Amino acid sequence: MTKVSDVDTASVASTAVPDARTNVVQLVSADISTIAGVSLYGSRAEITRIAKIDLEAGQNRITITGLPSAMLEETLRVEGKGSATIHDVTASRTPAPQTQNQTQTHKSPTSAQLQSLRKERKGTESELYRVSKHLEALERFASTLNAKDNSIDQVSEVMARYEIEAAALHERTYYLEQRLLELDDSVHEEKTRLRAEVVTDTVSSELEKQVTVAIFAPGKGPVELVLVYAVSHASWRATYETRVVTANATRDGGTPVDLTYKALINQSTGEDWTDVPIVLETASPTFGLSIPQLVPHTLSVHRPRSRSRESGRYDYPHRRYARSRSRSRSPRRHHYAVDEERFYDDPPAPQMVAREAVVTSAGNVTASFSIPGRSNVPSDGEDHQVTIAKLKLEARLQWVAVPSMSLQTHLKAYIENTSEYTFLPGKTSVYLDRSFISKSPVPPVSPRESFECSLGVDPSIRITYHPRTKKAAKSGLYTKTQTHSYSQRITVFNTRTQPVENVAVLAQVPVSQDAAITVKVSNPALPPPAPDQNQGGASGSVPGAVRVSGAVSAAWEDSKEGRFKWIAKLAPQEKLMLELEWEVSALATTIIDGL
């Protein structure tokens, strides 16, 4: 079969009016087409739908209804195979059908059930009227009885029958009145249901778009049309599952990590994706972006404001004129003008960019993830989970403690993405030694990049923060200098049966904000760090570190804020004593805030 000439935009207006020789056909999308594939982005989806249609020789005007209302019409593309030529393509909203209730608006909605209820209610009202008349007649008859014309036995017999008849009539009256109330409720419910049906008929559905294709066929026969269009209300986001077993640490300090890469797919387009191949895209579509423009950066001489003696107010005689003349070239105002111009001149951004940040990966790296097999994702607005890949990665564990703030030891992993997959931002469920710990955020990660993952608190590394000791002394013959000496001890205890390779204990010393105050750290003897020194790391080899003991080193983490850390390796059941000593010196007459 030869390829049908295609039209890749729906913006072409169809002006041709079909004549008597044009074959006009209206078809429902679900009846003549199937979804062949879905490319899912972070805030939209691209649908490929294949329709098989029989054409007549000559002009054919095919209208396919039942397409999703979430279709972005400007993205529509139509092509196909067969001996035919596509003249134009239009996408529009399907006209709402005229129902009997809509064409005859003067008539109230009705049904057989409503008519039956009304008939029964009318009969009940008639019976209640007759019963009331019967009861009135009985009352009048009872009032005419007198002792002159009737004996006591006759009166007693008549009154006994009166009691029976009156009781029966009163009971019947009560039943009919209750029945009328029930019928009124039933009539109200049926009217409410009928009004709801009328509203449902008039409310736009989720499948109210249609595509009209004008095709010329040299002869009668079948063709295959391919409709490609984007829809909003469809998205996917990344989620992860990270499993770490600390007992599996290797000799070089690495730890294997099992990471399951998953996707949560959500769509409410009106179309069920049944048995379709799905491709997850990490590309970030952008629309309406313009290149930023530089604005003039002007300088002027500062003129202090003068105060008027008469009014008591400040006047700006020169600056008022300068401000009015340069208002259009003010950088801030000009920046806003650029934004407004771009906002009103460019076409409005489609809905697909509403969640653009979700699919942006670090380094502008994009990838496509093809979900194995075929998937079923109904249009229910719920999250449906699929697995992208199960990966085995390498990580380096680090135990971090800040004893001055908390005695808990936190465990984190530096995981390297050694796979070919791009990780999108999301959350991971962390399982440490087969136990669920917490949820940790995952940043955008490209292949060969590393990221940090929190593994919660490890109670097996115990910290003891001993009381701080303080001494004060004065020195100098003529000029007295006062020195405050501090000492702090920290005990780290590894209760594990395995060694711990990388334990970081963070501490802090005061920082002087005045040249008259001197702070000196004597233990550990930290050298002044270089300005470009690389601070910290996961491997334990810190540039500029000083050796404290055989398996302990220390290094500045941020010398400007007085933060440093010890990096230690602990054997099983080993206790480590860390000592911190520093001095604060100033003239004896100096009052130091913060001690």
Side-chain angles (χ1 to χ4, degrees):
M1 301 178 70
T2 58
K3 182 178 180 181
V4 178
S5 302
D6 62 325
V7 176
D8 59 1
T9 177
S11 61
V12 180
S14 178
T15 57
V17 178
D19 54 23
R21 294 173 295 177
T22 302
N23 176 35
V24 179
V25 180
Q26 182 166 324
L27 304 170
V28 179
S29 173
D31 297 337
I32 53 93
S33 65
T34 57
I35 297 178
V38 175
S39 294
L40 186 59
Y41 295 82
S43 58
R44 66 176 175 97
E46 187 178 74
I47 310 297
T48 301
R49 182 178 283 277
I50 297 179
K52 296 182 178 180
I53 302 173
D54 292 326
L55 300 179
E56 298 291 336
Q59 292 290 343
N60 293 266
R61 192 171 185 82
I62 310 299
T63 300
I64 303 176
T65 63
L67 293 171
S69 305
M71 176 198 295
L72 304 174
E73 298 180 8
E74 63 271 19
T75 65
L76 176 64
R77 184 173 74 254
V78 179
E79 54 189 28
K81 295 181 180 180
S83 299
T85 302
I86 299 175
H87 285 182
D88 68 33
V89 177
T90 58
S92 61
R93 186 182 298 272
T94 304
Q98 293 291 327
T99 62
Q100 183 177 1
N101 292 329
Q102 291 173 325
T103 56
Q104 300 177 357
T105 56
H106 63 281
K107 293 185 179 180
S108 299
T110 185
S111 65
Q113 177 70 12
L114 182 59
Q115 292 176 356
S116 176
L117 290 171
R118 285 174 172 171
K119 182 178 181 181
E120 183 180 355
R121 190 185 188 284
K122 187 174 182 180
T124 303
E125 285 181 336
S126 299
E127 184 179 357
L128 182 60
Y129 176 77
R130 293 194 300 269
V131 171
S132 64
K133 291 299 182 182
H134 191 175
L135 189 58
E136 289 178 6
L138 187 62
E139 295 287 348
R140 285 196 301 269
F141 174 76
S143 64
T144 59
L145 289 177
N146 56 68
K148 294 180 180 181
D149 301 332
N150 300 281
S151 63
I152 189 64
D153 294 336
Q154 290 175 332
V155 173
S156 299
E157 182 180 357
V158 170
M159 292 306 297
R161 292 189 60 185
Y162 165 78
E163 289 291 339
I164 296 174
E165 290 291 334
L169 291 174
H170 279 294
E171 183 177 356
R172 186 62 180 172
T173 300
Y174 177 78
Y175 168 78
L176 293 174
E177 289 176 347
Q178 294 298 316
R179 182 58 182 162
L180 279 177
L181 294 176
E182 293 175 358
L183 289 172
D184 287 340
D185 292 341
S186 299
V187 169
H188 177 72
E189 292 177 359
E190 182 65 12
K191 285 182 176 180
T192 302
R193 186 187 67 82
L194 291 173
R195 283 195 294 268
E197 287 184 354
V198 172
V199 172
T200 302
D201 291 339
T202 58
V203 171
S204 58
S205 66
E206 294 179 334
L207 300 173
E208 62 173 3
K209 289 289 181 70
Q210 67 180 22
V211 172
T212 302
V213 185
I215 306 177
F216 177 81
K220 181 177 180 181
V223 296
E224 187 178 89
L225 289 181
V226 179
L227 279 65
V228 182
Y229 52 87
V231 291
S232 57
H233 307 306
S235 63
W236 80 277
R237 66 183 189 275
T239 182
Y240 306 86
E241 184 179 292
T242 305
R243 295 183 179 271
V244 181
V245 179
T246 56
N248 295 337
T250 59
R251 292 183 178 180
D252 59 353
T255 301
V257 173
D258 293 327
L259 187 142
T260 304
Y261 195 173
K262 301 178 181 179
L264 295 178
I265 299 176
N266 186 304
Q267 70 105 349
S268 55
T269 63
E271 293 181 314
D272 291 335
W273 300 344
T274 304
D275 194 29
V276 298
I278 297 180
V279 177
L280 303 177
E281 301 284 355
T282 64
S284 176
T286 55
F287 296 89
L289 295 182
S290 58
I291 300 176
Q293 296 183 4
L294 295 174
V295 296
H297 182 179
T298 60
L299 302 176
S300 60
V301 177
H302 172 70
R303 293 181 173 84
R305 57 187 179 179
S306 61
R307 185 171 182 176
S308 174
R309 294 183 179 180
E310 298 179 358
S311 62
R313 297 180 180 179
Y314 289 99
D315 295 332
Y316 306 86
H318 300 288
R319 294 185 64 186
R320 183 183 299 115
Y321 173 75
R323 182 169 61 249
S324 63
R325 191 178 64 178
S326 62
R327 179 174 301 171
S328 61
R329 59 180 182 176
S330 172
R332 183 178 298 275
R333 293 181 180 271
H334 190 78
H335 175 71
Y336 290 155
V338 171
D339 286 347
E340 293 175 357
E341 181 182 355
R342 176 176 61 82
F343 181 80
Y344 290 108
D345 290 348
D346 291 348
Q351 298 181 20
M352 65 181 68
V353 298
R355 296 178 59 188
E356 178 180 328
V358 177
V359 294
T360 303
S361 59
N364 296 326
V365 176
T366 61
S368 298
F369 303 145
S370 298
I371 304 302
R374 293 176 175 265
S375 304
N376 296 304
V377 182
S379 177
D380 55 5
E382 301 292 336
D383 288 335
H384 299 269
Q385 182 175 281
V386 297
T387 299
I388 297 176
K390 292 185 177 182
L391 308 173
K392 287 191 176 293
L393 307 177
E394 285 292 327
R396 284 195 171 272
L397 302 183
Q398 185 178 53
W399 286 260
V400 181
V402 188
S404 61
M405 305 298 294
S406 172
L407 297 181
Q408 293 179 327
T409 302
H410 296 262
L411 178 61
K412 61 182 179 180
Y414 294 89
I415 304 174
E416 182 182 1
N417 180 14
T418 56
S419 71
E420 59 183 2
Y421 293 92
T422 298
F423 295 166
L424 301 185
K427 287 187 176 295
T428 178
S429 299
V430 179
Y431 293 84
L432 181 64
D433 294 335
R434 300 180 178 85
S435 298
F436 175 76
I437 298 299
S438 63
K439 282 188 174 292
S440 179
V442 176
V445 183
S446 298
R448 296 301 171 182
E449 258 193 317
S450 297
F451 66 99
E452 181 181 315
C453 179
S454 175
L455 301 181
V457 175
D458 187 352
S460 64
I461 307 297
R462 299 177 186 174
I463 304 294
T464 303
Y465 195 65
H466 300 278
R468 179 184 300 173
T469 62
K470 175 182 177 181
K471 294 181 181 180
K474 291 184 179 180
S475 62
L477 183 59
Y478 297 104
T479 304
K480 297 292 184 179
T481 301
Q482 185 169 0
T483 302
H484 301 270
S485 301
Y486 297 88
S487 177
Q488 178 73 61
R489 292 184 303 138
I490 303 170
T491 302
V492 184
F493 181 25
N494 177 22
T495 63
R496 289 171 169 266
T497 58
Q498 300 89 18
V500 176
E501 295 292 331
N502 190 9
V503 178
V505 180
L506 276 65
Q508 189 174 34
V509 295
V511 178
S512 174
Q513 299 293 326
D514 196 301
I517 302 173
T518 302
V519 178
K520 178 182 178 182
V521 180
S522 57
N523 187 18
L526 295 172
D532 57 347
Q533 175 177 308
N534 182 17
Q535 309 290 352
S539 63
S541 58
V542 182
V546 297
R547 183 68 60 182
V548 177
S549 64
V552 182
S553 61
W556 287 110
E557 188 169 79
D558 191 333
S559 61
K560 293 182 179 180
E561 296 186 1
R563 294 200 309 266
F564 72 96
K565 63 182 175 182
W566 289 281
I567 302 295
K569 297 181 181 180
L570 278 75
Q573 302 297 314
E574 179 184 359
K575 279 188 177 181
L576 177 65
M577 180 67 71
L578 302 176
E579 294 184 359
L580 170 61
E581 297 176 355
W582 74 94
E583 296 178 348
V584 178
S585 302
L587 293 177
T589 57
T590 303
I591 299 176
I592 303 176
D593 292 331
L595 282 181

